[in-house]
Amino acid sequence: MFINGAWISAESGREFPSYNPASGEIIGMVPDGEAIDAHKAIDAAAGAFPKWSSQTAYQRSQFLYRAHALMMEKLEHLAAVMTEEQGKPIQAARNEVRYAADFLIWYAEEAKRIYGQTIPSDRADQRFIVLRQPVGVVAAITPWNYPISMITRKVAPAMAAGCTIVLKPAEATPLCAKAVFEILEAAGIPEGVVNLVTAQTPGPIGELFLTDPRIRKLTFTGSTGVGKMLAREAAEQMKRVSLELGGHAPFIVCQDADPKRAATGLSLVKFLNTGQACISPNRVFVHEGAMDAFINELTRRVSAMKAGSGFDTGVRIGPLVNEAALDKVDRQVRDAVAKGAELVVGGRRMTEEGLDRGFFYAPTILRGVTPEMVIYREETFGPVAPIIAYNDADDLLAMANDTRYGLASYVYTNDLKTAFTLFEGLEFAIVGINDINPTSAAAPFGGMKESGLGREGGIQGLDDYLETKLGGFSI
Ligand code: NAP
C-alpha cells in the first residue's frame, strides 16, 4: 500500500493473492488492508491537504505533466501488467494505458482554467465574487474491468482541483493499481496527496470512508447495487458523491443503415474487453429489413474471434474475471434459450486447448430476444449479443428507453432526421451515432437514471471535486 509517500504492509501483516484469469495462476501478493490502514491513509491525505490545496494550479499541473510523461514511457510495462492481471488482449491494454494517460495531461492543462465569476449586483455598494475551491479529502473506489484508466479518471481531476485522495482499487486488480501509484510516486507528487489501500474485503473500508468526517467526497465506479448502498450511507454526513454505475446499452440498427457497417461496429464494441464494459451493448434492436444482412455479417465476424491469453497473437476474447461472472453469463444465455431465443453461435464455456484453466466463455449471438428474458433487463458483462427484431420505428424510443439504466447507447442510421430524433429522445447520457467509441478524456462520461450521478472527463469532470463559494462585498 502507498500511504504518505511510502510503500507499507498492512497493519495486520496479512496479504492476499492476485490471479491471472486466463490461467488461474497466482501472479503476486499484496497487503490486505483494513479500516485501520485506511485510517492511516486518511490521516495522510488530511495532513497533506492544506499545503497541496494552496499550491498554485501551475505548480499542481507540473506533477500531472510528469505523471503523464512517465505513464507513456512505461506504456508497455503497464499494458503487460494489465493483460496478465485483468486478461484483456495486449493491444486493448495499450489503448487503455493511453486513455489513462490522457486524463493526466488533460487535467494538467485544465487545472489552470478553474475560473470563478463576478456577478453584477443591484446594489451600487455591493460586489459578488464566486470562487471554486477544492472539496477536501476524497475517497475513491474503482473496479477491475478498466483497472488503470478508472484510477486516473479520478486521481487526475482530484489533484488538479487541489484535493488529496485515498483510493481503494478492486480486489481483482491490485497490481494494476500498484503500477499506477509507482508512477505517481516517481512523478514526485508530495507525500500524502495520493494514497493507495489494497484490500480483499471492501466493506469495512467503505464504511470508514462514509463515516470519517474528514472525507468530504466519495467517488465510486462499480455496480449499481453497491453504488446505491454507498449513496444512502453518504447522506448521513451529506458527503458529496459521484457514481459511475452499470449500464444496459441499446444498439439500434435502423432500416436505412448499412447493415454490414453496423455489424462491424457491434462486433467491435460488444466484444471489447469480452463484454466486460459498462458501455457494452446489451440489447441490439435491428430493423427487420436489415436483419439478414446484419446477422450474416455479425456471425461471420464473431465465429472468427479467437479466445485465449491476451498475450497471444490474434486473440480478441480474453477471460471473464472469475467463475461467478462465467456462471452469470451462462445463466442468462440458458434462460434466453429456454424462453425461445435462437442460439446463433457460442453459448458455452470454452474448455479446449487449455482454456479450461481460465474463465473463458465463447462469443455468443442470441436471436429473437424478448422482454421476458433476464438478459433483456440485467447487465450481462460478458460476450453475448442479444438481437431483437423491430418493425415499427415509432416504438423504437420507448423500447430502447425501457430500462432503469441510462449510460451509453448507439444508433446506426444514414438519415439526419432519425439521427437527431434518437439523439434527443434516448434517455442515455452517451449516444454514439454511427460511432462506437464516443469517449475521450476531453468529454463528459457518466450516466442518467440508475447509471449514476455526476460526470467524469471533460470540464464537467472537475465540477465534482470543487465547491462553489460566493463572496458578497460591501464597499
Ligand atoms: P462492484 O462489485 O460494485 O465493485 C466495484 C468496487 O467497489 C470494487 O473496488 C469493490 O471491491 C468495491 N466494493 C464492493 N462492495 C463494496 C462495499 N460494500 N463497500 C465499499 N466498496 C465495495 O463492481 P465490479 O463488479 O467491480 O464492476 C463492474 C460494475 O462496474 C458493472 O456494473 C459496470 O457497469 C460498472 N462500471 C461502470 C463504469 C462507469 O463508468 N459507469 C465503468 C466501469 C465499470 P472488491 O473488488 O474488493 O469487491
Side-chain angles (χ1 to χ4, degrees), residues 75 129 159 183 216 239 354 362 371 392 396 442:
L75 189 145
I129 296 182
M159 281 179 58
I183 283 177
R216 295 292 164 78
K239 290 187 195 298
D392 190 345
L396 194 54

Side-chain angles (χ1 to χ4, degrees), residues 121-175:
S121 166
D122 64 352
R123 270 174 35 206
D125 71 329
Q126 190 181 44
R127 304 289 183 271
F128 284 130
I129 296 182
V130 177
L131 270 190
R132 314 290 318 275
Q133 292 184 313
V135 290
V137 180
V138 171
I141 300 178
T142 52
W144 48 267
N145 62 338
Y146 286 88
I148 290 190
S149 57
M150 293 302 97
I151 292 179
T152 56
R153 200 164 81 170
K154 297 184 188 308
V155 168
M159 281 179 58
C163 298
T164 55
I165 190 159
V166 178
L167 186 136
K168 190 213 78 67
E171 175 198 344
T173 51
L175 298 178

Side-chain angles (χ1 to χ4, degrees), residues 13 27 34 63 76 86 107 116 153 195 209 212 257 291 326 350 387 409:
I27 51 173
E34 293 173 309
F63 295 105
E76 277 307 317
Q86 193 269 328
Y107 284 107
R153 200 164 81 170
N195 303 276
F209 285 168
D212 190 314
M291 183 61 91
L326 212 139
M350 300 176 90
I387 317 287
S409 56

Side-chain angles (χ1 to χ4, degrees), residues 142-438:
T142 52
W144 48 267
N145 62 338
Y146 286 88
I148 290 190
S149 57
M150 293 302 97
I151 292 179
T152 56
R153 200 164 81 170
K154 297 184 188 308
V155 168
M159 281 179 58
C163 298
T164 55
I165 190 159
V166 178
L167 186 136
K168 190 213 78 67
E171 175 198 344
T173 51
L175 298 178
C176 286
K178 184 170 173 238
V180 174
F181 275 72
E182 281 166 356
I183 283 177
L184 300 177
E185 179 193 25
I189 294 165
E191 285 171 10
V193 172
V194 289
N195 303 276
L196 172 70
V197 180
T198 48
Q200 195 165 23
T201 311
I205 293 177
E207 185 65 29
L208 181 69
F209 285 168
L210 293 163
T211 51
D212 190 314
R214 295 171 298 173
I215 298 287
R216 295 292 164 78
K217 177 194 170 65
L218 175 71
T219 171
F220 171 80
T221 300
S223 58
T224 293
V226 174
K228 281 184 185 178
M229 183 277 288
L230 295 172
R232 263 194 303 272
E233 293 188 24
E236 193 56 42
Q237 291 182 3
M238 208 45 78
K239 290 187 195 298
R240 278 79 186 110
V241 286
S242 300
L243 303 167
E244 295 285 354
L245 309 176
H248 205 277
F251 185 104
I252 298 168
V253 183
C254 297
Q255 188 171 15
D256 63 84
D258 172 351
K260 277 191 158 184
R261 185 162 174 239
T264 306
L266 185 75
S267 74
L268 293 170
V269 66
K270 174 67 242 185
F271 298 94
L272 192 69
N273 210 13
T274 315
Q276 302 171 111
C278 51
I279 58 167
S280 193
N282 225 129
R283 288 167 300 146
V284 183
F285 297 102
V286 182
H287 191 276
E288 276 179 0
M291 183 61 91
D292 286 345
F294 178 84
I295 287 273
N296 288 344
E297 179 66 13
L298 185 66
T299 308
R300 189 180 71 74
R301 288 176 173 274
V302 171
S303 308
M305 285 178 183
K306 184 174 161 193
S309 157
F311 290 109
D312 293 348
T313 314
V315 161
R316 284 278 312 280
I317 300 292
L320 292 171
V321 63
N322 55 30
E323 192 79 39
L326 212 139
D327 284 349
K328 180 185 177 189
V329 172
D330 198 47
R331 242 183 297 118
Q332 285 193 1
V333 170
R334 283 168 195 272
D335 168 82
V337 171
K339 290 175 181 160
E342 177 197 344
L343 188 59
V344 180
V345 60
R348 63 181 182 88
R349 182 177 189 160
M350 300 176 90
T351 52
E352 59 272 28
E353 294 166 17
L355 294 182
D356 56 329
R357 292 187 297 137
F359 309 111
F360 289 92
Y361 199 82
T364 300
I365 302 173
L366 287 173
R367 191 172 174 171
V369 168
T370 60
E372 295 70 42
M373 299 172 188
V374 173
I375 202 164
Y376 195 94
R377 307 254 165 233
E378 230 183 49
E379 192 181 29
T380 304
F381 239 55
V384 184
I387 317 287
I388 302 139
Y390 78 93
N391 212 349
D392 190 345
D394 292 343
D395 300 338
L396 194 54
L397 266 178
M399 285 195 306
N401 288 337
D402 179 23
T403 168
R404 65 195 177 106
Y405 294 110
L407 190 61
S409 56
Y410 306 86
V411 175
Y412 273 75
T413 179
N414 285 318
D415 182 77
L416 192 60
K417 187 174 159 76
T418 305
F420 267 93
T421 305
L422 292 176
F423 176 45
E424 290 169 5
L426 283 165
E427 293 170 352
F428 295 82
I430 300 168
V431 186
I433 305 278
N434 299 322
D435 190 303
I436 49 155
N437 188 18

